[in-house]
């Protein structure tokens, strides 16, 4: 998967295809192994939690060139991932109220099981 294709998928709102790619899947495992399958956000707060997701520190939509850069990725637990995206979502909405982005999480990172449910609940709650 090359940068041109990633940019194309972003334009077409098909980033989910990126997350299904072999390139991402193997990078994801490298990142989790590098971080010892520990949530880096929890670690910064002195806690230890298992990382279930891999989060892009700089979002793929804005920085497609960093989509497959290991240093831009970190292992994160679902709880912190939800929080992180909640924050990003608010930020995006605030800056761009007419954005077609329904929720940041849909596009920024591969949705985990609980994560997509979380986003769904939020969306329903907000109408
Ligand atoms: Zn965490
Ligand atoms: Zn994320």
């Amino acid at each position: 998967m090359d940068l041109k294709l990633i940019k194309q998928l972003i334009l077409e709102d098909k980033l989910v295809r990126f997350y299904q790619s072999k390139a991402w899947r193997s990078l994801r495992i490298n990142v989790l192994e590098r971080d010892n399958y520990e949530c880096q956000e929890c670690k910064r707060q002195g806690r230890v939690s298992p990382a279930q997701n891999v989060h892009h520190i700089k979002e793929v939509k804005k920085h497609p060139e960093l989509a497959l850069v290991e240093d831009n990725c970190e292992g994160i637990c679902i709880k912190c991932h939800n929080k992180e995206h909640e924050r990003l979502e608010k930020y995006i909405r605030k800056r761009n109220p007419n954005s077609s982005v329904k929720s940041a999480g849909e596009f920024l990172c591969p949705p985990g099981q609980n994560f997509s449910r979380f986003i769904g609940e939020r969306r329903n709650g907000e109408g």
Side-chain angles (χ1 to χ4, degrees), residues 39-43 47 49-50 76-81:
C39 172
Q40 299 304 294
E41 182 59 32
C42 284
K43 205 174 175 179
R47 294 196 308 263
S49 304
I76 196 163
C77 72
I78 288 171
K79 215 172 153 187
C80 289
H81 207 183

Side-chain angles (χ1 to χ4, degrees), residues 19 53-57 74 76 81-82 84-85 88 104-105 108-110 115:
Y19 291 119
N53 291 172
V54 171
H55 175 62
H56 282 101
I57 298 161
E74 63 180 13
I76 196 163
H81 207 183
N82 288 346
E84 191 62 22
H85 281 284
L88 288 169
L108 302 182
C109 285
F115 184 57

Side-chain angles (χ1 to χ4, degrees), residues 33-82:
E33 282 180 356
R34 182 199 67 193
D35 293 344
N36 298 316
Y37 290 86
E38 278 174 22
C39 172
Q40 299 304 294
E41 182 59 32
C42 284
K43 205 174 175 179
R44 283 191 281 273
Q45 292 166 30
R47 294 196 308 263
V48 178
S49 304
Q52 293 101 336
N53 291 172
V54 171
H55 175 62
H56 282 101
I57 298 161
K58 290 191 175 158
E59 39 178 303
V60 175
K61 273 201 140 183
K62 275 190 199 146
H63 302 274
E65 73 280 6
L66 298 178
L68 289 169
V69 173
E70 235 178 272
D71 285 347
N72 188 41
C73 299
E74 63 180 13
I76 196 163
C77 72
I78 288 171
K79 215 172 153 187
C80 289
H81 207 183
N82 288 346

